[in-house]
Amino acid sequence: MNGSCFLFIDDDATGDQTPSYIIDFISPAFDASQFPVVELSVDVHYRDWNQADESFDVLVTDGTTETLIRRYDKFHATGNNLYELETLVFDLSLLTNSPNARLIFRYNDAGGFNWWAGIDNLTVTGKGVGSNVIAESFNGCVKPNGWETQIVTGVDDWKFGLITEGA
């Protein structure tokens, strides 16, 4: 998205008439109870095929309850090109004070042949008396240590790497 590796799910690359899927990319646990402000900042790109009901959700969980931070769908997409992105900034302390908070990035292709989503330059920063509690650039071009992938339905996983043509 900015010339380096980023986390990318490309539903379009799997082809038409493939099994539907929902995929979660889950951060390592972090302590959201130590700071008055716990700020999430992440660059998000989402391209939507407006004839389907696919979506890309950014959620936070305390281990029991998932809370939606932002939904990207046909009503809220960032553009057709990977360089068209949104920097999502959100105070997670408004939603959780859990010592075991996690972020979830969920792509749901709604059973259709759709486009893609990506994230980059993610930080979670405790403010007040704080420091970064999660900082991930995805520049290693592999799944970072401590992150998990859960394929809820389907078989396709997240991909890491550089996009060099046409996307």
Side-chain angles (χ1 to χ4, degrees):
M1 291 172 19
N2 66 358
S4 63
C5 288
F6 62 97
L7 181 64
F8 186 62
I9 180 72
D10 188 355
D11 189 62
D12 189 49
T14 64
D16 201 1
Q17 305 301 319
T18 58
S20 64
Y21 67 91
I22 301 169
I23 186 169
D24 288 353
F25 196 70
I26 305 162
S27 78
F30 59 91
D31 188 346
S33 69
Q34 301 296 311
F35 306 97
V37 173
V38 180
E39 184 181 272
L40 164 67
S41 177
V42 61
D43 292 339
V44 178
H45 170 77
Y46 176 75
R47 183 173 183 185
D48 188 83
W49 176 255
N50 64 7
Q51 298 175 16
D53 290 323
E54 78 277 13
S55 61
F56 182 60
D57 293 342
V58 180
L59 306 110
V60 65
T61 183
D62 60 8
T64 304
T65 303
E66 294 179 358
T67 305
L68 182 66
I69 296 169
R70 175 72 52 93
R71 169 164 282 180
Y72 296 87
D73 58 19
K74 63 184 163 190
F75 303 109
H76 188 191
T78 63
N80 293 340
N81 301 296
L82 288 171
Y83 58 80
E84 296 175 285
L85 56 94
E86 168 182 289
T87 301
L88 171 61
V89 177
F90 190 87
D91 182 0
L92 299 173
S93 66
L94 299 172
L95 301 177
T96 186
N97 290 321
S98 172
N100 296 304
R102 289 174 161 233
L103 296 171
I104 302 170
F105 298 90
R106 177 173 294 146
Y107 186 87
N108 181 346
D109 80 346
F113 178 48
N114 301 305
W115 290 111
W116 53 71
I119 61 171
D120 200 7
N121 303 315
L122 180 141
T123 58
V124 176
T125 305
K127 293 187 174 185
V129 183
S131 59
N132 288 343
V133 292
I134 294 180
E136 189 58 62
S137 67
F138 303 105
N139 286 345
C141 293
V142 296
K143 186 181 340 182
N145 289 336
W147 286 78
E148 300 173 19
T149 299
Q150 292 181 357
I151 299 172
V152 180
T153 63
V155 295
D156 293 299
D157 202 348
W158 290 89
K159 294 178 177 32
F160 295 86
L162 299 172
I163 303 297
T164 57
E165 56 182 71

